[in-house]
Amino acid sequence: MSRPVAVGVWVLAGLAVALTGTDPWPPAIVLAASLTLLARRRLSDHRLGPLMVGLVVLGGLTVVSNGLLDHTGATNLFTVPSWIPVLGGTVTAEGFAEGADIAVRLVAAVSATSCLCLVLEPTDLVDALPGPLRHSATMLGSALNLVPATAASFVAIRDSQRLRGWKPTGPRAMVDLVVPVMLGAIERSVQLAESMDARAFGTAARTTAFPSERDRRCTFTVALAGLALAGLVAGSVSGLVDLAWYPYPTPGVPSPAPAATGPALLVLLAAVLIPRAEPGSEEPGPDEPGLAVVGSGS
């Protein structure tokens, strides 16, 4: 089994475990697995700092917003005046507990999905999809490649503007950054379309940027991820696995039942088995950097 397929199946299993049920233990294990995979197997030119900041902000906002908006529970912390719209009412510990549960599942899902961008090149992900999905694969690869390219363009334009004496003075000053970034994104999209047209994309079977080599560790990863998915579905349908946890009427510590955490532990083990990228697979082609799929027109 190839590495891109292994990562794709692992992400699917991680998302299923993280978003199923309300028990916070499985998504917490998926979050640990995602961070382990990102720390050990991310591409050398990608940093984890921006992702970590985003996850912390996302989780914090989820906890705070749910705690302030959900006025259900028996443990009262303080009371917001009723004349304040939306926020008015009693703020309870149960609201923050439920917000923390939602935040763990949301952060786990985002971190697992980010592995597609930080562990794989867009070309690898596109090449892993079956032939009938080649057009969808092209769209997916272009979209994944647009995010880091736009972020790099934003940083470069911001630094250039500062060297020219530009100083942000308010929201209107962002126009000086947003307009060049958008124009650059449009220009890159036009160049990508012209490159694909010049290579006769869609006229014949696709070719791959780099050959995908099979690896036993990737096969074991897919097997473990598939077993986690099967166990999750079987346990949920049969009712043998209880994935529910509620902080009401008073919050309690969720019990990590082995049957419920089993699929999550399989996902964690599968994350450890995913191998490193093959040497040279991180480098784009010499003719067109970032070109995900090409067609053979001859």
Side-chain angles (χ1 to χ4, degrees):
M1 193 69 65
S2 63
R3 183 173 182 268
V5 173
V7 175
V9 175
W10 180 89
V11 170
L12 179 62
L15 287 175
V17 173
L19 298 178
T20 302
T22 58
D23 187 353
W25 279 108
I29 297 175
V30 172
L31 176 60
S34 301
L35 296 180
T36 300
L37 178 59
L38 290 171
R40 299 176 68 247
R41 297 294 184 254
R42 74 180 187 276
L43 300 178
S44 58
D45 58 342
H46 292 338
R47 298 182 302 168
L48 290 182
L51 175 63
M52 294 297 102
V53 173
L55 293 179
V56 171
V57 172
L58 177 62
L61 289 177
T62 302
V63 174
V64 173
S65 60
N66 193 88
L68 294 178
L69 297 176
D70 188 357
H71 304 292
T72 306
T75 308
N76 299 335
L77 298 179
F78 56 90
T79 301
V80 178
S82 58
W83 55 266
I84 299 180
V86 181
L87 299 179
T90 301
V91 177
T92 64
E94 290 77 12
F96 286 102
E98 186 182 27
D101 178 45
I102 297 174
V104 169
R105 286 184 279 129
L106 186 59
V107 170
V110 172
S111 61
T113 307
S114 65
C115 294
L116 294 176
C117 299
L118 300 180
V119 177
L120 296 177
E121 290 284 359
T123 52
D124 297 332
L125 184 61
V126 169
D127 293 341
L129 294 177
L133 297 177
R134 59 182 181 271
H135 294 296
S136 300
T138 305
M139 182 172 59
L140 177 62
S142 301
L144 291 176
N145 195 37
L146 179 64
V147 176
T150 303
S153 175
F154 179 86
V155 173
I157 292 174
R158 181 194 62 187
D159 294 342
S160 300
Q161 296 284 45
R162 286 179 175 177
L163 290 175
R164 294 180 174 89
W166 175 81
K167 294 182 180 180
T169 57
R172 291 187 176 181
M174 294 300 296
V175 176
D176 297 332
L177 297 179
V178 173
V179 172
V181 169
M182 294 300 297
L183 292 177
I186 295 174
E187 182 179 0
R188 287 190 297 272
S189 300
V190 172
Q191 290 178 351
L192 177 60
E194 292 177 348
S195 299
M196 295 171 65
D197 186 62
R199 288 165 173 79
F201 171 77
T203 60
R206 74 182 187 187
T207 59
T208 58
F210 300 100
S212 298
E213 298 183 0
R214 299 184 180 275
D215 192 302
R216 289 184 178 180
R217 296 176 62 180
C218 294
T219 303
F220 286 131
T221 299
V222 173
L224 289 175
L227 184 60
L229 284 172
L232 182 66
V233 172
S236 301
V237 172
S238 63
L240 297 177
V241 179
D242 186 11
L243 296 175
W245 175 79
Y246 303 100
Y248 307 103
T250 56
V253 179
S255 177
T261 58
L265 293 175
L266 291 176
V267 171
L268 177 60
L269 180 59
V272 177
L273 290 178
I274 294 178
R276 295 183 181 276
E278 294 295 330
S281 62
E282 299 182 13
E283 298 296 331
D287 295 330
E288 183 63 28
L291 185 59
V293 181
V294 295
S296 176
S298 57

